[in-house]
């Protein structure tokens, strides 16, 4: 409720004046005391209600990535580049694989096939070329077989490829606070491999997914 301070003071002054008039008109009963209502006024320049002594509400969850991690997040937003990994070089050049269009179902009764084919295309575009090629090859190896009807096929092929992923050093600073917050449920390499394997436009999506679940197991479903 907004209270105009000047009008409030005018109101209390009028009440006080009325009390004095009642006092002079009174005969033997003594002065009449009129108590003005007690209203908590907002502080000057602050439209919020005055504090009632209760502490400020606490957020239900805390952000793992604090303001001090801006540089780490900015590094993630930059396009992935060559990076050293176990003395080698991450070579992620090349065009995305295009083989998902040749994927075939073994027959008409393969309910998850359309979803698998769609996810194959998403991973081909959303993963860095070398990783994407491994994932697509893994899926195409099941083409025409009953195993292509496994609803989690594309995700499982992706997780296998992540185990061989080349790690970008820039992902360590971004993954470190999440790994600490997960308390042993998430390994540093698991986080870095996922973030290193996706295109730059997908990196923040992966960070959000890992933060929420402390696992990379199903984060590939969030790739765009």
């Amino acid at each position: 409720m907004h209270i105009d301070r000047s009008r409030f003071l005018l109101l209390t002054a009028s009440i006080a004046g009325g009390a004095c008039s009642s006092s002079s008109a009174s005969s033997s009963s003594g002065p009449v005391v009129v108590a003005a209502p007690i209203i908590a006024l907002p502080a000057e320049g602050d439209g919020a209600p005055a504090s009632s002594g209760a502490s400020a509400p606490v957020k239900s969850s805390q952000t793992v990535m604090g303001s001090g991690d801006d540089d780490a997040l900015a590094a993630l937003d930059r396009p992935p580049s060559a990076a050293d990994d176990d003395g080698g070089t991450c070579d992620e050049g090349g065009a995305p694989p295009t083989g998902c269009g040749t994927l075939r179902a073994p027959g008409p009764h393969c309910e998850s096939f359309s979803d698998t084919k769609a996810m194959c295309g998403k991973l081909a575009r959303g993963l860095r070329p070398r990783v994407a090629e491994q994932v697509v090859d893994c899926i195409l190896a099941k083409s025409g077989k009953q195993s292509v009807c496994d609803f989690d096929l594309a995700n499982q092929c992706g997780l296998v490829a992540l185990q061989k992923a080349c790690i970008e050093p820039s992902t360590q600073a971004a993954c470190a606070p999440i790994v600490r917050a997960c308390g042993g449920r998430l390994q540093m390499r698991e986080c870095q491999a996922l973030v290193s394997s996706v295109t730059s436009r997908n990196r923040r999506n992966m960070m959000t997914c890992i933060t929420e679940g402390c696992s990379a197991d199903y984060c590939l479903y969030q790739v765009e």
Side-chain angles (χ1 to χ4, degrees):
M1 177 178 68
H2 176 73
I3 301 174
D4 187 284
R5 181 178 294 270
S6 60
R7 291 185 178 182
F8 173 80
L9 296 177
L10 179 61
L11 174 62
T12 53
S14 299
I15 293 174
C20 292
S21 298
S22 298
S23 176
S24 60
S26 182
S27 56
S28 59
S29 58
V32 177
V33 178
V34 179
I38 300 175
I39 303 175
L41 290 176
E44 289 289 351
D46 184 4
S51 173
S52 60
S55 59
V58 179
K59 295 182 179 179
S60 59
S61 61
Q62 296 180 346
T63 303
V64 175
M65 297 296 291
S67 58
D69 299 298
D70 288 344
D71 291 341
L73 291 175
L76 290 182
D77 288 336
R78 290 195 292 268
S81 59
D84 292 334
D85 180 35
D86 295 333
T89 301
C90 293
D91 182 9
E92 299 293 352
T98 58
C100 294
T102 65
L103 193 64
R104 295 289 180 266
H109 303 293
C110 188
E111 295 182 358
S112 62
F113 175 75
S114 59
D115 292 335
T116 297
K117 190 172 184 178
M119 189 171 176
C120 179
K122 288 174 62 176
L123 295 177
R125 297 185 301 271
L127 296 175
R128 297 174 69 181
R130 188 171 68 90
V131 180
E133 184 176 3
Q134 296 179 41
V135 175
V136 171
D137 286 348
C138 174
I139 298 173
L140 291 179
K142 310 295 184 181
S143 184
K145 302 177 182 179
Q146 189 61 36
S147 53
V148 80
C149 300
D150 182 355
F151 78 97
D152 200 33
L153 172 63
N155 185 58
Q156 290 301 320
C157 285
L159 293 178
V160 171
L162 291 184
Q163 295 175 6
K164 307 172 185 177
C166 186
I167 303 300
E168 285 282 350
S170 62
T171 61
Q172 181 174 2
C175 284
I178 300 177
V179 172
R180 287 196 299 270
C182 286
R185 290 178 292 162
L186 177 70
Q187 300 300 314
M188 175 64 77
R189 195 188 189 286
E190 182 183 3
C191 176
Q192 286 190 265
L194 177 63
V195 180
S196 297
S197 298
V198 298
T199 57
S200 56
R201 67 188 297 264
N202 279 290
R203 287 186 159 192
R204 291 203 180 217
N205 285 347
M206 298 302 101
M207 297 297 295
T208 299
C209 179
I210 298 174
T211 299
E212 292 175 348
C214 286
S215 173
D217 287 351
Y218 297 100
C219 290
L220 289 177
Y221 285 108
Q222 306 300 320
V223 170
E224 300 176 350

